[in-house]
Amino acid sequence: MSDAAPPDAAIAAPGDESGWQRLHPATLALAVVALGPKSLNALPAVAALGFTGNWIWIVPAIGAFLLISLLAAWFQWLRFRFLVGDDEVVIESGVFARQHRTIPFDRIQDVSIEQGLIARAFGIAKVGFETGAGGKENDAALNAIALDAAQALRTTIRAHRSGEAAAVVAADAPDVAPAPDDRLLFAMAPGRLLTAGLFNFSLAALAVVGAAMQFFDGLLPFDFNIFNPVDWIDIAEDQGLDQWLLAHRWIAGIGAALSLLLIGFVSGIATMFFANWGFRLTREPRALRRTRGLTTRTDVALPVKRVQAAILVTGWFRRRFGWHELRLQSLASDGEKERDHQVVPFGKLAEIDPVLGEIAIARPGAEAAWQHSHRIVALGGLIGAVGASAGGIVAVSFGQPLGWLGPVAGLLIGAGSLFGARFHRWTDLGEQVAIRRGIWKPKTTLLPHASVQSIDLKSDFILRPLGLATLVFGVPGGSSLASHEIPAIPLGAAHDLRTRILAARARR
Amino acid sequence: MTDTPAAHPTDPFDAEALNAAEGLHPVDPAYAKVLRIATALNLIPLAIGASVFDALLIRHIEGPYGLITALAWLIAIVTIVSFPSRRVSRWGYKIGEGQLRVARGWLFRTDTIVPFVRVQHIDVGQGPIERWFGLSHLIVHTSGTHNSTVTLPGLPSDLAAAMRETIRRHIQTDFA
């Protein structure tokens, strides 16, 4: 390893023609370290040599493996070069299939510098360019360059972007008092949390109780499991209570229903209190800042310029009381799990509108002319319904009476999808598109034209004869809640909308 | 060419008409050869595998020996001979007016437009088979989660390089 390094350094040392640079030769050292886990692949071969008695060949085999791996790493290093130009980074890579990648400085959101333990020993660093392109593998990286070169590169790129507010403030520091000039946009008092919790009714806790029942069954010292209803029935029988229960079945039913309700409400309120205790949304000079949480307090800053779209979620029941939830889609994702940022967990529209105002997005007014998607969007559900019915009927014909559930479910699914198809609607508000869908959990996506990165116009053998097309928008920062698409609208309308959105200039 | 410019081509299966009606350029016909070789590299091993399976197993259990072999080779040959040129003729692109337009497929047709200002970075790639025929593919990266990469295959290498330069200029000048 160490004897291989000096000649490589000699090759790399001359300042290459026209500014092309290679990675630091220590890349090879990193490759040697990376061989550790990789050499597991060679173990079976070595073992086979040992079992067949060819002991003398083991050392040459391992040597050959090391040599080949090193050679491969060396070739890769040899064929990888990059160029830092006046306003772009160019990377060429690949031994057999060459790849030539150009990254303009304008598009680099941030430069990350990462140093592992071995990299530290060599004084090198990994430089990652965050371009905001979707997916990790799309972000380019220089695996190993000298640390000072990495810092210089970052300074160059940051200086190039200095005109912009390069603010990424994802602070995890808890309980930092907001500066006095920040305005409070939204806060949740305990009373509001209680209301929200009541609407957050969920029977997910039943699953927890069920798991506890399984768990305690073999654990408790006495032969009575408080989580097991059968044990309770045994006691009831001992006391002659079962006769009483049979006589008053309806009381037992009401009791069961009440306890279910209690579990549902308590768990809903508890999750709401744990997640959103002390919820505050404030407006800072450049960002929206959210602090919340009872046990784990989080403090997230969301740069206003990075907000791509707003999603308004409600439920069929809470909507009657005027309660809504506001989420913002941004380049960054909210922690590990959520793709978009919940900025108003539970509020009236009058409270949501000022927050939307801060990010220059408006809700469609009552006079907005909503247009509907074609009924054909129900097709998927209808096919499912037919499948369920057919399966059920086959089961019945084989003498399985439960099969009747199939056609019943099919009817319900079919009716549901036909009914739900009427709720796919969209409207163009000039600066943004609003897309609404869903009956059970209605979602309205407010998508500014300026956030749209690419537009797909899709048609297939079903939509084309009907003169329809589906528009799909590419928007930075994925959202699990809403795919940005307008399904099955007339081809002419789709073309018009696409032209209008593409004509919109970036707002920034 | 015709006195009534129909919105839909008269023959819906005529790809030339489809691309022309939408104002798109076809990709290089040589790309069909690339696809054909790639398809052959995928399918011929599968067909050989089916033949071996047939000879080793079906003959032993005295099933209909030869059926699987014949079917596998038939499907492989039909796919290799007829599909690539059809698939290639469904690809179309147009570059201009500050945007790149890429359309593909017929049964499920997708027509994508990426404005140059939205391009994050550009790749020009060339695989070994493409290199034989002097072709490259252009990959445009956007920051959208959907469509984060838009690929346009079957371009002559010099055209791909020229397109990359065009797009790159726009990225720099139109930066807002």
Side-chain angles (χ1 to χ4, degrees), chain A residues 386-406:
Chain A
V386 169
S389 311
I393 288 168
V394 168
V396 168
S397 68
F398 278 104
Q400 180 63 256
L402 272 181
W404 284 113
L405 283 177

Short mmCIF file of all heavy atoms in Angstrom, two decimals, chain A residues 386-406:
data_model
loop_
_atom_site.label_atom_id
_atom_site.label_comp_id
_atom_site.label_asym_id
_atom_site.label_seq_id
_atom_site.Cartn_x
_atom_site.Cartn_y
_atom_site.Cartn_z
N VAL A 386 -64.58 -4.97 -9.85
CA VAL A 386 -64.94 -6.13 -10.67
C VAL A 386 -64.13 -7.35 -10.22
O VAL A 386 -64.67 -8.46 -10.07
CB VAL A 386 -64.71 -5.83 -12.17
CG1 VAL A 386 -64.83 -7.10 -12.99
CG2 VAL A 386 -65.71 -4.79 -12.65
N GLY A 387 -62.83 -7.11 -9.95
CA GLY A 387 -61.97 -8.20 -9.50
C GLY A 387 -62.48 -8.79 -8.20
O GLY A 387 -62.59 -10.02 -8.05
N ALA A 388 -62.83 -7.93 -7.24
CA ALA A 388 -63.30 -8.40 -5.95
C ALA A 388 -64.59 -9.20 -6.12
O ALA A 388 -64.76 -10.28 -5.54
CB ALA A 388 -63.53 -7.21 -5.01
N SER A 389 -65.51 -8.67 -6.95
CA SER A 389 -66.78 -9.37 -7.16
C SER A 389 -66.54 -10.73 -7.80
O SER A 389 -67.11 -11.75 -7.35
CB SER A 389 -67.70 -8.54 -8.07
OG SER A 389 -67.76 -7.23 -7.62
N ALA A 390 -65.70 -10.76 -8.83
CA ALA A 390 -65.45 -12.02 -9.54
C ALA A 390 -64.85 -13.04 -8.57
O ALA A 390 -65.31 -14.19 -8.51
CB ALA A 390 -64.50 -11.78 -10.71
N GLY A 391 -63.87 -12.59 -7.77
CA GLY A 391 -63.25 -13.50 -6.82
C GLY A 391 -64.28 -14.05 -5.84
O GLY A 391 -64.32 -15.25 -5.56
N GLY A 392 -65.15 -13.14 -5.36
CA GLY A 392 -66.17 -13.55 -4.40
C GLY A 392 -67.11 -14.58 -5.00
O GLY A 392 -67.44 -15.59 -4.37
N ILE A 393 -67.52 -14.33 -6.26
CA ILE A 393 -68.49 -15.24 -6.90
C ILE A 393 -67.87 -16.60 -7.13
O ILE A 393 -68.50 -17.65 -6.91
CB ILE A 393 -69.01 -14.60 -8.20
CG1 ILE A 393 -69.95 -13.45 -7.85
CG2 ILE A 393 -69.75 -15.63 -9.04
CD1 ILE A 393 -70.30 -12.56 -9.00
N VAL A 394 -66.58 -16.60 -7.52
CA VAL A 394 -65.89 -17.89 -7.68
C VAL A 394 -65.88 -18.65 -6.37
O VAL A 394 -66.18 -19.85 -6.31
CB VAL A 394 -64.45 -17.65 -8.20
CG1 VAL A 394 -63.63 -18.93 -8.10
CG2 VAL A 394 -64.47 -17.15 -9.63
N ALA A 395 -65.60 -17.90 -5.27
CA ALA A 395 -65.56 -18.54 -3.95
C ALA A 395 -66.92 -19.12 -3.60
O ALA A 395 -67.03 -20.24 -3.08
CB ALA A 395 -65.13 -17.53 -2.90
N VAL A 396 -68.00 -18.37 -3.89
CA VAL A 396 -69.35 -18.85 -3.59
C VAL A 396 -69.65 -20.12 -4.39
O VAL A 396 -70.19 -21.10 -3.87
CB VAL A 396 -70.40 -17.76 -3.89
CG1 VAL A 396 -71.80 -18.35 -3.85
CG2 VAL A 396 -70.26 -16.63 -2.90
N SER A 397 -69.23 -20.12 -5.67
CA SER A 397 -69.53 -21.27 -6.52
C SER A 397 -68.78 -22.51 -6.04
O SER A 397 -69.17 -23.63 -6.35
CB SER A 397 -69.16 -20.96 -7.97
OG SER A 397 -67.77 -20.84 -8.08
N PHE A 398 -67.70 -22.31 -5.26
CA PHE A 398 -67.02 -23.46 -4.67
C PHE A 398 -67.59 -23.80 -3.30
O PHE A 398 -66.98 -24.56 -2.54
CB PHE A 398 -65.51 -23.18 -4.55
CG PHE A 398 -64.77 -23.42 -5.83
CD1 PHE A 398 -64.35 -22.37 -6.63
CD2 PHE A 398 -64.52 -24.73 -6.26
CE1 PHE A 398 -63.69 -22.60 -7.82
CE2 PHE A 398 -63.85 -24.96 -7.44
CZ PHE A 398 -63.44 -23.90 -8.22
N GLY A 399 -68.71 -23.18 -2.95
CA GLY A 399 -69.38 -23.52 -1.72
C GLY A 399 -68.81 -22.81 -0.50
O GLY A 399 -68.84 -23.34 0.60
N GLN A 400 -68.26 -21.66 -0.70
CA GLN A 400 -67.69 -20.89 0.42
C GLN A 400 -68.59 -19.69 0.67
O GLN A 400 -68.52 -18.70 -0.06
CB GLN A 400 -66.26 -20.46 0.06
CG GLN A 400 -65.54 -19.65 1.11
CD GLN A 400 -65.31 -20.41 2.38
OE1 GLN A 400 -66.01 -20.18 3.37
NE2 GLN A 400 -64.36 -21.34 2.37
N PRO A 401 -69.48 -19.76 1.67
CA PRO A 401 -70.49 -18.70 1.83
C PRO A 401 -69.88 -17.33 2.09
O PRO A 401 -70.49 -16.31 1.75
CB PRO A 401 -71.33 -19.17 3.00
CG PRO A 401 -70.47 -20.16 3.72
CD PRO A 401 -69.59 -20.80 2.71
N LEU A 402 -68.68 -17.29 2.69
CA LEU A 402 -68.07 -15.98 2.97
C LEU A 402 -67.78 -15.21 1.68
O LEU A 402 -67.56 -14.01 1.71
CB LEU A 402 -66.76 -16.16 3.74
CG LEU A 402 -66.90 -16.21 5.27
CD1 LEU A 402 -65.54 -16.37 5.91
CD2 LEU A 402 -67.57 -14.93 5.75
N GLY A 403 -67.76 -15.93 0.55
CA GLY A 403 -67.47 -15.30 -0.74
C GLY A 403 -68.42 -14.17 -1.07
O GLY A 403 -68.07 -13.29 -1.86
N TRP A 404 -69.62 -14.18 -0.45
CA TRP A 404 -70.56 -13.08 -0.74
C TRP A 404 -70.00 -11.73 -0.34
O TRP A 404 -70.44 -10.70 -0.83
CB TRP A 404 -71.90 -13.33 -0.02
CG TRP A 404 -72.71 -14.38 -0.70
CD1 TRP A 404 -73.04 -15.61 -0.23
CD2 TRP A 404 -73.27 -14.29 -2.01
NE1 TRP A 404 -73.76 -16.30 -1.15
CE2 TRP A 404 -73.92 -15.53 -2.26
CE3 TRP A 404 -73.28 -13.31 -3.02
CZ2 TRP A 404 -74.58 -15.80 -3.47
CZ3 TRP A 404 -73.93 -13.58 -4.20
CH2 TRP A 404 -74.57 -14.82 -4.41
N LEU A 405 -69.02 -11.76 0.55
CA LEU A 405 -68.39 -10.49 0.94
C LEU A 405 -67.75 -9.82 -0.28
O LEU A 405 -67.67 -8.60 -0.35
CB LEU A 405 -67.33 -10.72 2.01
CG LEU A 405 -67.85 -10.97 3.42
CD1 LEU A 405 -66.71 -11.25 4.36
CD2 LEU A 405 -68.63 -9.75 3.90
N GLY A 406 -67.26 -10.64 -1.23
CA GLY A 406 -66.58 -10.11 -2.41
C GLY A 406 -67.45 -9.15 -3.20
O GLY A 406 -67.10 -7.98 -3.35
#
